[in-house]
Amino acid sequence: MLSFRFVMPLDLGAKGSCQIGGNVATNAGGLRLIRYGSLHGNVLGLEVVLANGDVLDMLGTLRKDNTGYDLKHLFIGSEGSLGIITKVSILTPPKLSSVNIAFLACQDYLSCQKLLLEAKRSLGEILSAFEFMDSVAMDVVLNNLDGVRNPLAPTAHNFYVLIETTGTEESYDKEKLEKFLVGSMESGLISDGVLAQDINQASAFWRLREGVPESLQRAGAVYKYDLSLPVEKMYDLVVEMRARLGESVKVVGYGHLGDGNLHLNISAPKYDDAILAQIEPFVYEWTSNHRGSISAEHGVGLMKANKIFYSKSPEAVRYTGKIINPC
Amino acid sequence: FDQEKKIKNRESFSFWIPSQSNVCCPFKLTLSSLIVARVEHLSPPAKMKIMVAVKRVIDYAVKIRVKPDKSGVETQNVKMSMNPFCEIALEEALRIKEAGLASEVVAVTIGPKQSIDTLRTGLAMGADRGIHVEATGDLFPLAVAKLFKALVEIEKPGLIILGKQAIDNDCNQTGQMVAGLLGWPQGTFASKVVLDKEKQEVMVDREVDGGLETVCLNLPAVITTDLRLNQPRYATLPNIMKAKSKPVKKYTPEELNVGTKSDLEVVEITEPPKRKAGVLVSSVDELIDKLRNEAHVI
C-alpha cells in the first residue's frame, strides 16, 4: 500500500504482530484515532463467516450506502462473538509527506488539558496524534528499556505530551507547529519541549510513548485498565489510586489524551490478591460514576464480560440480546 | 577589551604602511606596531571561533528511490534533514564552546534556497550565527572546499569541524580538501576531541582500520567527525525561539570569487543489483558442485 502512497488509518502498539481481522473484530483504536477516526468510520465492508457456516457478504467499497441497517457495525468490535471476519474493505487516507513531532513537558494535568484544546484550535487539520504519559511512566521506560533517553533531561517533569502533525507542506506545517509551541510556552502551558529534527529523533520520541507497556511488562506484575473518561476527570483517578494503594506499587497513567482514553496501569513486584482487591471494583465504580467506559478500546472479552454493566445500562444489554437472538 | 582595541589598531595600521607620504608621526607608527606585535605574540587569541559545516541531505531513515531517467535520486516530497555527521560536528563545537574554550560557533551551509532550513536547525541546536552560501546545481567536494576557504579568509576561525562524509554522496573528501587548500593540519574520523587552549593544540582520536590513532594538531586545524564522537542534542523550544533572531549572512559563489563548475559529471545513477534469493542444498556434494560450477569460486 505504501508503494501507492496510502496508509492504514490506524496505528497501534501491537502493529508488529496484530492482524487486520482481529483489529476490526476488536474495533482497535490506537495512536491516530484523533486524526482518522475509529474503524467504524473507516471500514467500508466486511465478509463474515457465521457460526453455522453461512458466509455473509457485506464487502462493499462504497462510501455511502443507506440501504437498510448497516450490519457491518455489529461485527466491528464484536470480538468474534457473532462471526469470524474473513475479508475487510478499508478506506485508506493518502500518505502525506510532512510529519512533525514535538515532545513536551507540562507542570500539571490541567496544562495538558488546556494544551489539547489549544492544539485542536491552532493545529487544526494537521494534528495527527496527542498522547500523554506521567513522570512515573517515564521512569518505568527509562529504567526498563535499552537505548532510550529522556529528551528533556536532566529536569524531571510531571507530565509529558507527545504531539504529532501530518500534512502536505513541510515548511508550512513546521511554522504552524512552532508558532503553537512558542505561544504555549509563553503562556506557561508548556514548561519545556523539543522538536524532532529528523526521522530518527521522531522514532526516539515514539519509542518512549510506545515503550510504556513493554517496560511495565519487564518491571514485574502489572494490572492494566483501559478507561474512557471525561478529559478533565481522567487524571483524578490516577491520583486517587495512588493514595489508595500506597507506596508498595507504582501507579502509572498514560494514554490517548486526545481521545479521553486513559491507560491506568498498576505495577507491583508480583501479583497479589490483596492489591487486586484494593483496585477492583473501586476502579470500575469510579469510572461508572463518571459515566466513563471500563474498556475504551481493548474490549471486554471473557475476563471483563460481566463488568459491562458498569458502562452499559441493563436495558441496552437486554435489547442487544433481543436483536442477536430474536427467538 | 584592551587587546581587541590593539588588534583593531593593527588592522587599520596596516593600511598606513604603504602610504609612506604620511610624514606626520612616523616614529609613533613604528613604536605602536612594535608594541602590538609583542602583545600578539605573548598571549593566545582570547576569542576562538569555530566554524561548522552542515549539509541538507535526504533523511537517513528514508527509503531512497532512483529516478526513472537514472539522472539522480527522487527528492520531491522526500523528508530532508541535517546530515547526521554534521549534527555530530555541531554538537562537538557546542560542547567546546560550553567548556569555555571557544567564544562563537558559526554554522555554514552551502546549497540551494531550502538549505536555510538546515541552518535553522543548527541555530536551534545552539549555533550563534549562520552563513548560507546559496548555490544551485551539483556541488562537488572541491567546489565546497574552495567556498569554505573563501569563508575562512573572512571569518578567521581557529577550528573547523565537518562531518566525515555526507550520506548522500558518501564522498569523505571535503574536510580533507579544506585542510589541504588552507595548509592546515587535519584530524579525520574523530571519535574523541580534546582541545588545549593554552598550548593552542588539539588531540584527536581517529577511528582507523586498525583501531584508534591519536594525533596532536596545532591550531588552527580541521576536524571531521565520526559516529561515536558524541550524541547530538535535541533542538529545545527555548533555543528554537532564540534561533529566530540569530543572524544569517548570505553569500553567492560569485561574491566569494569561487567558480563552482566541476570537471566531474554524474553520468548515471542506478540501484545496486537486487540480492538473489539463497538456495538450500541437500548435501555437501551438491554444495561443492554449486561452488565449482555455478559460483566458480573453487
Side-chain angles (χ1 to χ4, degrees), chain A residues 8-326:
Chain A
M8 283 298 277
L10 84 167
D11 190 9
L12 63 174
K15 65 190 117 194
S17 53
C18 64
Q19 307 200 350
I20 187 66
N23 285 156
V24 176
T26 54
N27 187 24
L31 305 160
R32 304 246 155 59
L33 196 131
I34 194 174
R35 170 66 170 258
Y36 299 122
S38 87
L39 281 174
H40 280 290
N42 290 310
V43 170
L44 299 174
L46 294 176
E47 182 192 81
V48 182
V49 177
L50 302 174
N52 61 2
D54 285 349
V55 176
L56 207 54
D57 179 7
M58 301 169 290
L59 196 65
T61 53
L62 306 172
R63 273 305 259 125
K64 298 158 88 167
D65 181 6
N66 274 351
T67 54
Y69 300 110
D70 200 349
L71 280 180
K72 65 175 189 284
H73 290 294
L74 265 181
F75 295 96
I76 301 172
S78 62
E79 304 185 41
S81 59
L82 298 174
I84 306 217
I85 296 171
T86 49
K87 289 198 183 129
V88 178
S89 165
I90 194 158
L91 182 68
T92 53
K95 180 169 172 60
L96 301 178
S97 52
S98 153
V99 179
N100 284 299
I101 284 211
F103 200 82
L104 312 162
C106 293
Q107 270 292 71
D108 48 38
Y109 185 66
L110 185 62
S111 305
C112 297
Q113 285 175 61
K114 287 187 181 166
L115 194 63
L116 172 62
L117 287 170
E118 197 49 49
K120 284 187 173 166
R121 278 196 191 282
S122 308
L123 298 173
E125 73 285 2
I126 62 168
L127 182 63
S128 57
F130 195 104
E131 298 287 311
F132 96 107
M133 47 197 281
D134 61 16
S135 53
V136 185
M138 177 60 92
D139 285 337
V140 171
V141 172
L142 294 174
N143 291 335
N144 290 288
L145 283 187
D146 297 321
V148 286
R149 58 172 168 144
N150 186 345
L152 298 166
T155 326
H157 296 275
N158 294 327
F159 291 91
Y160 299 95
V161 170
L162 185 152
I163 296 183
E164 186 197 66
T165 64
T166 306
T168 50
E169 281 285 339
E170 176 80 47
S171 45
Y172 171 70
D173 289 354
K174 205 164 188 171
E175 204 185 301
K176 209 166 164 175
L177 182 58
E178 276 181 17
K179 191 162 163 223
F180 157 70
L181 292 174
V182 164
S184 303
M185 189 133 191
E186 282 169 355
S187 59
L189 285 182
I190 312 174
S191 47
D192 201 355
V194 289
L195 195 53
Q197 299 297 316
D198 55 43
I199 299 182
N200 254 340
Q201 291 185 0
S203 309
F205 294 171
W206 271 119
R207 182 86 186 101
L208 287 168
R209 163 59 186 87
E210 290 188 291
V212 180
E214 191 188 328
S215 317
L216 285 165
Q217 201 81 330
R218 292 194 193 189
V222 55
Y223 295 94
K224 303 177 90 64
Y225 298 92
D226 161 47
L227 313 161
S228 261
L229 288 165
V231 172
E232 61 280 11
K233 294 268 172 268
M234 239 165 75
Y235 206 71
D236 290 349
L237 179 56
V238 182
V239 174
E240 274 211 49
M241 292 308 292
R242 240 169 232 154
R244 198 179 158 81
L245 292 165
E247 296 294 310
S248 59
V249 298
K250 287 203 191 80
V251 180
V252 172
Y254 68 100
H256 316 290
L257 183 51
D259 313 328
N261 183 188
L262 172 72
H263 288 313
L264 173 72
N265 280 223
I266 290 127
S267 174
K270 52 187 194 7
Y271 290 103
D272 185 349
D273 281 342
I275 298 179
L276 185 57
Q278 284 285 82
I279 305 173
E280 295 184 27
F282 179 79
V283 117
Y284 297 132
E285 285 165 359
W286 202 98
T287 305
S288 189
N289 289 338
H290 291 88
R291 293 185 67 89
S293 164
I294 51 118
S295 181
E297 55 181 3
H298 292 171
V300 290
L302 297 169
M303 209 173 103
K304 293 183 184 169
N306 56 350
K307 308 275 192 294
I308 197 173
F309 292 103
Y310 285 106
S311 297
K312 283 270 172 346
S313 68
E315 296 81 30
V317 179
R318 229 175 296 136
Y319 185 71
T320 317
K322 256 203 226 149
I323 308 174
I324 309 295
N325 278 320

Side-chain angles (χ1 to χ4, degrees), chain B residues 3-14:
Chain B
Q3 237 174 0
E4 220 183 22
K5 219 178 175 184
K6 285 197 176 110
I7 294 168
K8 235 187 178 163
N9 284 340
R10 174 178 165 265
E11 276 177 29
S12 57
F13 171 80
S14 63

